[in-house]
Amino acid sequence: YFYAEGPFRAEEPDGILSGPLLVWYNASNTFIQQPRIQATMTTNVFYFSFIPEKDGNFWAVVADSTTEGLLTIWNIKTMLYGQPAADCKRERKYVTGGLLNTEEFLFCYFERGPQTYRAFVYLEDTNEAHDGIMADMGIIVPGAAEVTNEFYIR
């Protein structure tokens, strides 16, 4: 975020706060293909895939709307927030550069309805200097009303 206000050393805090800013730096690894959720999803499992540019490690967590604003690179790497199930997160998993990596997250126990979720993926090289890149994906949980192909005859 960026805050700006009028004349130099103005006494009144009457400036304006901008929205999030993108800051570019030389990340140690990047995504050739951004993380994306695969079509198959239930309230307990989902798949996502990505292609890293270089060999490296990645971390991934799933957060609900109450914790997604608290996520940083450091607490993703320490697994501080996110779904508690061990199969619904990844910690320091090695990936090979240039190859498609598909992950299966299990036992996420998503709630149907108004609750929203986001998956956060942090990728860096193998030096672990906190100089990687993070991407996030919105997760849409299937609704409570299941579609059937039953017909009623009048």
Side-chain angles (χ1 to χ4, degrees):
Y1 294 89
F2 183 77
Y3 179 78
E5 70 175 42
F8 183 67
R9 297 185 184 189
E11 293 183 20
E12 298 84 24
D14 58 352
I16 187 166
L17 182 66
S18 75
L21 299 175
L22 290 175
V23 178
W24 299 101
Y25 62 96
N26 293 327
S28 64
N29 206 346
T30 59
F31 296 104
I32 294 173
Q33 175 187 299
Q34 289 287 321
R36 60 179 74 157
I37 294 176
Q38 303 302 313
T40 305
M41 181 173 174
T42 68
T43 55
N44 283 327
V45 63
F46 76 98
Y47 301 85
F48 70 92
S49 63
F50 64 91
I51 300 174
E53 180 183 34
K54 303 174 190 172
D55 293 356
N57 297 312
F58 83 95
W59 291 254
V61 297
V62 175
D64 61 25
S65 58
T66 61
T67 58
E68 71 179 53
L70 304 173
L71 288 172
T72 65
I73 290 169
W74 296 276
N75 57 35
I76 287 174
K77 289 180 82 170
T78 60
M79 302 276 125
L80 184 61
Y81 298 107
Q83 298 294 86
D87 288 334
C88 193
K89 54 187 164 188
R90 295 291 181 275
E91 183 176 8
R92 193 183 289 111
K93 184 170 180 186
Y94 181 81
V95 288
T96 303
L99 296 180
L100 180 69
N101 183 65
T102 300
E103 294 295 318
E104 176 185 53
F105 272 35
L106 302 168
F107 307 112
C108 294
Y109 302 114
F110 296 124
E111 294 178 20
R112 298 180 193 268
Q115 181 67 275
T116 60
Y117 299 90
R118 295 195 80 72
F120 293 83
V121 180
Y122 174 70
L123 172 70
E124 62 184 25
D125 62 11
T126 55
N127 294 333
E128 295 190 33
H130 310 296
D131 57 353
I133 190 165
M134 185 168 61
D136 67 306
M137 306 164 280
I139 297 175
I140 299 172
V141 179
E146 299 295 329
V147 177
T148 67
N149 58 354
E150 296 177 6
F151 295 95
Y152 292 102
I153 300 173
R154 292 185 189 189

